[in-house]
Short mmCIF file of all heavy atoms in Angstrom, two decimals:
data_model
loop_
_atom_site.label_atom_id
_atom_site.label_comp_id
_atom_site.label_asym_id
_atom_site.label_seq_id
_atom_site.Cartn_x
_atom_site.Cartn_y
_atom_site.Cartn_z
N ARG A 8 -4.83 -36.03 -18.51
CA ARG A 8 -5.67 -35.88 -19.71
C ARG A 8 -5.73 -34.43 -20.18
O ARG A 8 -5.84 -34.17 -21.38
CB ARG A 8 -7.08 -36.42 -19.41
CG ARG A 8 -7.94 -36.55 -20.64
CD ARG A 8 -8.82 -37.79 -20.58
NE ARG A 8 -9.86 -37.72 -19.58
CZ ARG A 8 -11.07 -37.19 -19.81
NH1 ARG A 8 -11.35 -36.67 -20.99
NH2 ARG A 8 -11.98 -37.17 -18.87
N TYR A 15 -3.79 -27.66 -29.03
CA TYR A 15 -4.84 -26.67 -29.30
C TYR A 15 -4.48 -25.31 -28.71
O TYR A 15 -4.55 -24.28 -29.38
CB TYR A 15 -6.13 -27.22 -28.69
CG TYR A 15 -7.33 -26.33 -28.69
CD1 TYR A 15 -7.99 -26.03 -29.85
CD2 TYR A 15 -7.83 -25.84 -27.48
CE1 TYR A 15 -9.13 -25.25 -29.84
CE2 TYR A 15 -8.98 -25.06 -27.46
CZ TYR A 15 -9.62 -24.77 -28.64
OH TYR A 15 -10.75 -24.00 -28.61
N TRP A 18 -1.80 -23.81 -30.64
CA TRP A 18 -2.28 -23.27 -31.92
C TRP A 18 -2.96 -21.91 -31.72
O TRP A 18 -2.76 -20.99 -32.50
CB TRP A 18 -3.26 -24.26 -32.56
CG TRP A 18 -3.33 -24.06 -34.04
CD1 TRP A 18 -4.07 -23.13 -34.71
CD2 TRP A 18 -2.59 -24.78 -35.04
NE1 TRP A 18 -3.86 -23.23 -36.06
CE2 TRP A 18 -2.96 -24.23 -36.29
CE3 TRP A 18 -1.68 -25.84 -35.01
CZ2 TRP A 18 -2.43 -24.70 -37.50
CZ3 TRP A 18 -1.17 -26.30 -36.21
CH2 TRP A 18 -1.54 -25.74 -37.43
N PRO A 26 -0.58 -13.37 -33.68
CA PRO A 26 -0.95 -12.55 -34.83
C PRO A 26 -1.70 -11.26 -34.45
O PRO A 26 -1.46 -10.22 -35.06
CB PRO A 26 -1.85 -13.48 -35.65
CG PRO A 26 -1.35 -14.83 -35.34
CD PRO A 26 -0.95 -14.79 -33.91
N TYR A 33 2.12 -3.39 -35.84
CA TYR A 33 2.10 -2.66 -37.11
C TYR A 33 1.24 -1.41 -37.01
O TYR A 33 1.56 -0.37 -37.58
CB TYR A 33 1.54 -3.54 -38.23
CG TYR A 33 2.58 -4.41 -38.89
CD1 TYR A 33 2.56 -5.78 -38.76
CD2 TYR A 33 3.58 -3.84 -39.68
CE1 TYR A 33 3.50 -6.58 -39.38
CE2 TYR A 33 4.53 -4.63 -40.30
CZ TYR A 33 4.48 -6.00 -40.15
OH TYR A 33 5.42 -6.78 -40.76
N ILE A 76 -36.30 -11.57 -41.82
CA ILE A 76 -36.56 -12.79 -42.59
C ILE A 76 -36.44 -14.02 -41.70
O ILE A 76 -37.28 -14.92 -41.73
CB ILE A 76 -35.58 -12.91 -43.78
CG1 ILE A 76 -35.75 -11.73 -44.73
CG2 ILE A 76 -35.80 -14.23 -44.52
CD1 ILE A 76 -34.70 -11.67 -45.82
N ILE A 89 -39.57 -28.90 -38.64
CA ILE A 89 -38.42 -29.19 -39.49
C ILE A 89 -37.23 -29.49 -38.60
O ILE A 89 -36.91 -28.72 -37.70
CB ILE A 89 -38.17 -28.00 -40.41
CG1 ILE A 89 -39.35 -27.97 -41.37
CG2 ILE A 89 -36.83 -28.11 -41.11
CD1 ILE A 89 -39.25 -27.13 -42.52
N LYS A 92 -31.24 -31.24 -38.29
CA LYS A 92 -30.31 -31.80 -39.27
C LYS A 92 -30.70 -31.38 -40.68
O LYS A 92 -29.86 -30.96 -41.48
CB LYS A 92 -30.33 -33.33 -39.14
CG LYS A 92 -29.22 -34.00 -39.90
CD LYS A 92 -29.29 -35.49 -39.73
CE LYS A 92 -28.47 -36.17 -40.79
NZ LYS A 92 -28.78 -37.59 -40.87
N THR A 97 -29.75 -28.29 -45.59
CA THR A 97 -30.28 -27.61 -46.78
C THR A 97 -30.01 -26.11 -46.78
O THR A 97 -29.85 -25.52 -47.84
CB THR A 97 -31.80 -27.81 -46.91
OG1 THR A 97 -32.41 -27.36 -45.72
CG2 THR A 97 -32.14 -29.25 -47.17
N MET A 103 -23.20 -23.91 -49.55
CA MET A 103 -21.76 -23.62 -49.47
C MET A 103 -20.93 -24.46 -50.44
O MET A 103 -19.77 -24.16 -50.66
CB MET A 103 -21.26 -23.92 -48.06
CG MET A 103 -21.42 -22.77 -47.12
SD MET A 103 -20.74 -23.36 -45.59
CE MET A 103 -20.09 -21.93 -44.92
N TRP A 104 -21.52 -25.52 -50.96
CA TRP A 104 -20.74 -26.34 -51.89
C TRP A 104 -20.77 -25.79 -53.30
O TRP A 104 -20.16 -26.36 -54.20
CB TRP A 104 -21.19 -27.80 -51.84
CG TRP A 104 -20.57 -28.47 -50.66
CD1 TRP A 104 -21.10 -28.57 -49.42
CD2 TRP A 104 -19.28 -29.07 -50.58
NE1 TRP A 104 -20.22 -29.20 -48.58
CE2 TRP A 104 -19.10 -29.53 -49.28
CE3 TRP A 104 -18.25 -29.28 -51.51
CZ2 TRP A 104 -17.94 -30.17 -48.85
CZ3 TRP A 104 -17.11 -29.93 -51.09
CH2 TRP A 104 -16.96 -30.36 -49.79
N ASN A 106 -19.31 -22.65 -55.12
CA ASN A 106 -18.28 -21.69 -54.70
C ASN A 106 -18.82 -20.31 -54.35
O ASN A 106 -19.63 -19.74 -55.08
CB ASN A 106 -17.24 -21.59 -55.80
CG ASN A 106 -16.03 -20.83 -55.35
OD1 ASN A 106 -16.05 -19.62 -55.26
ND2 ASN A 106 -14.99 -21.56 -55.01
N PHE A 107 -18.35 -19.77 -53.23
CA PHE A 107 -18.78 -18.47 -52.72
C PHE A 107 -18.68 -17.36 -53.78
O PHE A 107 -19.62 -16.61 -54.00
CB PHE A 107 -17.94 -18.12 -51.49
CG PHE A 107 -17.91 -16.65 -51.15
CD1 PHE A 107 -19.00 -16.05 -50.53
CD2 PHE A 107 -16.80 -15.88 -51.42
CE1 PHE A 107 -18.98 -14.70 -50.21
CE2 PHE A 107 -16.77 -14.53 -51.10
CZ PHE A 107 -17.87 -13.94 -50.51
N LEU A 109 -18.60 -17.56 -57.01
CA LEU A 109 -19.58 -17.77 -58.08
C LEU A 109 -20.99 -17.43 -57.63
O LEU A 109 -21.78 -16.84 -58.38
CB LEU A 109 -19.55 -19.22 -58.55
CG LEU A 109 -18.41 -19.64 -59.48
CD1 LEU A 109 -18.54 -21.09 -59.84
CD2 LEU A 109 -18.38 -18.78 -60.73
N ARG A 110 -21.31 -17.80 -56.38
CA ARG A 110 -22.65 -17.53 -55.86
C ARG A 110 -22.95 -16.04 -55.86
O ARG A 110 -24.03 -15.60 -56.22
CB ARG A 110 -22.78 -18.07 -54.44
CG ARG A 110 -23.49 -19.38 -54.37
CD ARG A 110 -23.36 -20.10 -53.04
NE ARG A 110 -23.07 -19.32 -51.88
CZ ARG A 110 -22.14 -19.65 -50.98
NH1 ARG A 110 -21.44 -20.74 -51.13
NH2 ARG A 110 -21.93 -18.89 -49.93
N SER A 113 -23.30 -14.69 -59.35
CA SER A 113 -24.60 -15.04 -59.90
C SER A 113 -25.60 -13.91 -59.66
O SER A 113 -26.48 -13.66 -60.49
CB SER A 113 -25.07 -16.33 -59.26
OG SER A 113 -26.15 -16.87 -59.94
N GLN A 115 -24.89 -10.80 -59.72
CA GLN A 115 -24.63 -9.83 -60.78
C GLN A 115 -25.56 -10.09 -61.95
O GLN A 115 -26.16 -9.18 -62.50
CB GLN A 115 -23.19 -10.00 -61.30
CG GLN A 115 -22.17 -9.09 -60.69
CD GLN A 115 -20.80 -9.36 -61.29
OE1 GLN A 115 -20.66 -10.05 -62.29
NE2 GLN A 115 -19.77 -8.81 -60.67
N LEU A 116 -25.65 -11.37 -62.33
CA LEU A 116 -26.48 -11.74 -63.48
C LEU A 116 -27.96 -11.51 -63.20
O LEU A 116 -28.72 -11.14 -64.08
CB LEU A 116 -26.28 -13.22 -63.84
CG LEU A 116 -24.87 -13.63 -64.21
CD1 LEU A 116 -24.82 -15.10 -64.52
CD2 LEU A 116 -24.41 -12.82 -65.40
N ARG A 126 -35.87 -9.02 -66.65
CA ARG A 126 -36.65 -9.76 -67.65
C ARG A 126 -37.96 -10.23 -67.04
O ARG A 126 -39.01 -10.15 -67.66
CB ARG A 126 -35.85 -10.96 -68.16
CG ARG A 126 -34.83 -10.56 -69.22
CD ARG A 126 -34.12 -11.77 -69.77
NE ARG A 126 -32.75 -11.41 -70.10
CZ ARG A 126 -31.85 -12.26 -70.55
NH1 ARG A 126 -32.15 -13.54 -70.70
NH2 ARG A 126 -30.63 -11.86 -70.84
N TYR A 151 -28.12 -12.47 -48.67
CA TYR A 151 -28.07 -13.81 -49.23
C TYR A 151 -26.98 -14.64 -48.56
O TYR A 151 -27.21 -15.78 -48.16
CB TYR A 151 -27.80 -13.72 -50.74
CG TYR A 151 -27.50 -15.04 -51.37
CD1 TYR A 151 -28.52 -15.97 -51.59
CD2 TYR A 151 -26.20 -15.38 -51.72
CE1 TYR A 151 -28.23 -17.19 -52.15
CE2 TYR A 151 -25.91 -16.61 -52.27
CZ TYR A 151 -26.94 -17.50 -52.49
OH TYR A 151 -26.66 -18.72 -53.03
N ASP A 218 -17.03 -5.64 -53.59
CA ASP A 218 -16.22 -5.52 -54.79
C ASP A 218 -16.97 -6.09 -56.00
O ASP A 218 -16.96 -5.50 -57.08
CB ASP A 218 -14.90 -6.28 -54.58
CG ASP A 218 -13.93 -6.02 -55.70
OD1 ASP A 218 -13.84 -4.85 -56.14
OD2 ASP A 218 -13.27 -6.96 -56.16
N GLU A 233 -8.36 -3.82 -47.73
CA GLU A 233 -7.81 -4.78 -48.70
C GLU A 233 -6.84 -4.07 -49.64
O GLU A 233 -5.74 -4.57 -49.92
CB GLU A 233 -8.97 -5.39 -49.50
CG GLU A 233 -8.54 -6.48 -50.46
CD GLU A 233 -8.78 -6.13 -51.91
OE1 GLU A 233 -9.62 -5.25 -52.19
OE2 GLU A 233 -8.12 -6.73 -52.77
N TYR B 9 -43.90 -19.46 -47.28
CA TYR B 9 -42.80 -18.60 -46.83
C TYR B 9 -41.48 -19.37 -46.85
O TYR B 9 -40.45 -18.88 -47.31
CB TYR B 9 -43.11 -18.09 -45.42
CG TYR B 9 -42.12 -17.09 -44.91
CD1 TYR B 9 -41.79 -15.97 -45.66
CD2 TYR B 9 -41.49 -17.26 -43.67
CE1 TYR B 9 -40.88 -15.05 -45.20
CE2 TYR B 9 -40.58 -16.34 -43.20
CZ TYR B 9 -40.28 -15.24 -43.97
OH TYR B 9 -39.37 -14.34 -43.51
N LEU B 10 -41.55 -20.61 -46.37
CA LEU B 10 -40.36 -21.47 -46.37
C LEU B 10 -39.87 -21.69 -47.81
O LEU B 10 -38.68 -21.59 -48.11
CB LEU B 10 -40.70 -22.80 -45.71
CG LEU B 10 -39.53 -23.70 -45.34
CD1 LEU B 10 -38.65 -23.06 -44.31
CD2 LEU B 10 -40.04 -25.04 -44.81
N LEU B 17 -32.47 -18.70 -51.66
CA LEU B 17 -31.16 -19.30 -51.41
C LEU B 17 -30.65 -20.11 -52.60
O LEU B 17 -29.45 -20.24 -52.78
CB LEU B 17 -31.22 -20.20 -50.17
CG LEU B 17 -31.31 -19.48 -48.83
CD1 LEU B 17 -31.55 -20.47 -47.71
CD2 LEU B 17 -30.05 -18.68 -48.56
N TYR B 18 -31.56 -20.67 -53.39
CA TYR B 18 -31.10 -21.61 -54.42
C TYR B 18 -31.12 -21.06 -55.85
O TYR B 18 -30.51 -21.66 -56.73
CB TYR B 18 -31.88 -22.92 -54.33
CG TYR B 18 -31.34 -23.81 -53.23
CD1 TYR B 18 -31.84 -23.75 -51.94
CD2 TYR B 18 -30.29 -24.68 -53.48
CE1 TYR B 18 -31.32 -24.53 -50.93
CE2 TYR B 18 -29.75 -25.47 -52.48
CZ TYR B 18 -30.29 -25.39 -51.20
OH TYR B 18 -29.75 -26.17 -50.21
N PRO B 20 -29.56 -18.43 -57.25
CA PRO B 20 -28.23 -18.17 -57.80
C PRO B 20 -27.49 -19.46 -58.15
O PRO B 20 -26.78 -19.51 -59.15
CB PRO B 20 -27.51 -17.45 -56.65
CG PRO B 20 -28.58 -16.89 -55.81
CD PRO B 20 -29.72 -17.84 -55.91
N ARG B 35 -22.30 -15.07 -71.09
CA ARG B 35 -23.11 -15.67 -70.04
C ARG B 35 -24.54 -15.14 -70.03
O ARG B 35 -25.41 -15.72 -69.42
CB ARG B 35 -22.45 -15.48 -68.68
CG ARG B 35 -22.21 -14.03 -68.36
CD ARG B 35 -21.40 -13.85 -67.10
NE ARG B 35 -21.48 -12.45 -66.71
CZ ARG B 35 -20.84 -11.93 -65.71
NH1 ARG B 35 -20.07 -12.69 -64.97
NH2 ARG B 35 -20.96 -10.66 -65.41
N SER B 36 -24.77 -14.00 -70.72
CA SER B 36 -26.12 -13.43 -70.62
C SER B 36 -27.06 -13.98 -71.70
O SER B 36 -28.23 -13.63 -71.72
CB SER B 36 -26.07 -11.90 -70.71
OG SER B 36 -25.36 -11.53 -71.87
N LEU B 82 -11.05 -33.68 -25.40
CA LEU B 82 -10.79 -34.64 -24.32
C LEU B 82 -10.08 -33.96 -23.16
O LEU B 82 -10.38 -34.20 -21.99
CB LEU B 82 -9.94 -35.80 -24.84
CG LEU B 82 -10.65 -36.76 -25.81
CD1 LEU B 82 -9.64 -37.66 -26.50
CD2 LEU B 82 -11.68 -37.59 -25.06
N GLY B 99 -10.77 -20.11 -27.82
CA GLY B 99 -10.93 -20.86 -29.05
C GLY B 99 -12.04 -20.31 -29.94
O GLY B 99 -12.07 -20.53 -31.14
N ALA B 106 -13.76 -11.41 -37.77
CA ALA B 106 -14.09 -11.24 -39.18
C ALA B 106 -13.05 -11.95 -40.03
O ALA B 106 -11.87 -11.95 -39.71
CB ALA B 106 -14.12 -9.76 -39.51
N THR B 117 1.67 -12.37 -39.85
CA THR B 117 2.50 -13.22 -38.99
C THR B 117 3.32 -14.20 -39.81
O THR B 117 4.55 -14.26 -39.68
CB THR B 117 1.60 -14.01 -38.02
OG1 THR B 117 0.70 -13.11 -37.41
CG2 THR B 117 2.44 -14.69 -36.96
N ARG B 120 6.20 -12.97 -42.02
CA ARG B 120 7.48 -12.63 -41.38
C ARG B 120 8.40 -13.83 -41.29
O ARG B 120 9.62 -13.68 -41.23
CB ARG B 120 7.25 -12.11 -39.96
CG ARG B 120 6.60 -10.77 -39.90
CD ARG B 120 6.41 -10.36 -38.44
NE ARG B 120 7.65 -9.91 -37.85
CZ ARG B 120 8.04 -8.65 -37.87
NH1 ARG B 120 7.32 -7.74 -38.46
NH2 ARG B 120 9.19 -8.30 -37.31
N THR B 135 -6.46 -23.21 -38.74
CA THR B 135 -6.81 -22.27 -37.67
C THR B 135 -8.31 -22.00 -37.63
O THR B 135 -8.91 -22.03 -36.56
CB THR B 135 -6.04 -20.94 -37.86
OG1 THR B 135 -4.67 -21.23 -38.01
CG2 THR B 135 -6.27 -20.01 -36.69
N THR B 192 -16.25 -28.39 -45.68
CA THR B 192 -17.14 -27.46 -46.39
C THR B 192 -16.64 -26.03 -46.28
O THR B 192 -16.54 -25.31 -47.28
CB THR B 192 -18.56 -27.54 -45.78
OG1 THR B 192 -18.96 -28.90 -45.74
CG2 THR B 192 -19.54 -26.75 -46.60
N ASP B 196 -15.15 -23.60 -49.34
CA ASP B 196 -15.90 -22.40 -49.69
C ASP B 196 -15.13 -21.12 -49.39
O ASP B 196 -15.51 -20.05 -49.83
CB ASP B 196 -17.24 -22.38 -48.92
CG ASP B 196 -18.20 -21.35 -49.49
OD1 ASP B 196 -18.40 -21.37 -50.71
OD2 ASP B 196 -18.73 -20.53 -48.73
N TYR B 202 -7.35 -15.73 -49.86
CA TYR B 202 -6.94 -14.58 -50.67
C TYR B 202 -5.76 -13.84 -50.02
O TYR B 202 -4.82 -13.45 -50.70
CB TYR B 202 -8.15 -13.66 -50.81
CG TYR B 202 -7.96 -12.43 -51.66
CD1 TYR B 202 -7.73 -12.54 -53.02
CD2 TYR B 202 -8.06 -11.16 -51.09
CE1 TYR B 202 -7.59 -11.40 -53.80
CE2 TYR B 202 -7.93 -10.03 -51.87
CZ TYR B 202 -7.69 -10.15 -53.23
OH TYR B 202 -7.56 -9.02 -53.99
N SER B 213 -11.43 -20.67 -55.46
CA SER B 213 -12.01 -19.37 -55.13
C SER B 213 -11.17 -18.23 -55.68
O SER B 213 -11.69 -17.31 -56.31
CB SER B 213 -12.13 -19.20 -53.62
OG SER B 213 -12.95 -20.18 -53.08
N TYR B 217 -12.03 -15.56 -58.67
CA TYR B 217 -12.02 -14.12 -58.37
C TYR B 217 -11.10 -13.37 -59.34
O TYR B 217 -11.42 -12.31 -59.83
CB TYR B 217 -11.57 -13.91 -56.92
CG TYR B 217 -11.80 -12.52 -56.40
CD1 TYR B 217 -13.08 -12.09 -56.05
CD2 TYR B 217 -10.74 -11.63 -56.23
CE1 TYR B 217 -13.29 -10.83 -55.55
CE2 TYR B 217 -10.95 -10.36 -55.73
CZ TYR B 217 -12.23 -9.96 -55.40
OH TYR B 217 -12.44 -8.70 -54.91
N SER B 232 -17.61 -26.29 -60.92
CA SER B 232 -18.30 -26.01 -59.66
C SER B 232 -19.61 -26.78 -59.57
O SER B 232 -19.97 -27.28 -58.50
CB SER B 232 -18.56 -24.52 -59.52
OG SER B 232 -17.34 -23.83 -59.59
N VAL B 239 -21.31 -33.67 -54.11
CA VAL B 239 -21.58 -33.54 -52.68
C VAL B 239 -23.07 -33.78 -52.38
O VAL B 239 -23.42 -34.41 -51.39
CB VAL B 239 -21.13 -32.17 -52.17
CG1 VAL B 239 -21.56 -31.95 -50.74
CG2 VAL B 239 -19.63 -32.07 -52.28
N ASN B 247 -27.64 -39.65 -45.96
CA ASN B 247 -28.87 -39.56 -45.19
C ASN B 247 -29.61 -40.88 -45.14
O ASN B 247 -30.33 -41.17 -44.21
CB ASN B 247 -29.79 -38.49 -45.80
CG ASN B 247 -29.74 -37.22 -44.99
OD1 ASN B 247 -29.47 -37.27 -43.80
ND2 ASN B 247 -29.97 -36.11 -45.63
#
Side-chain angles (χ1 to χ4, degrees):
Chain A
R8 191 142 69 87
Y15 173 70
W18 204 279
Y33 273 112
I76 298 172
I89 292 192
K92 191 180 163 195
T97 56
M103 274 181 147
W104 280 92
N106 191 283
F107 160 76
L109 282 180
R110 260 167 23 226
S113 194
Q115 264 180 12
L116 300 179
R126 280 184 214 177
Y151 170 74
D218 189 41
E233 185 244 339
Chain B
Y9 186 52
L10 193 64
L17 287 173
Y18 280 90
R35 57 187 193 184
S36 54
L82 290 167
T117 311
R120 290 180 77 90
T135 308
T192 309
D196 194 50
Y202 182 66
S213 300
Y217 193 75
S232 302
V239 173
N247 258 333

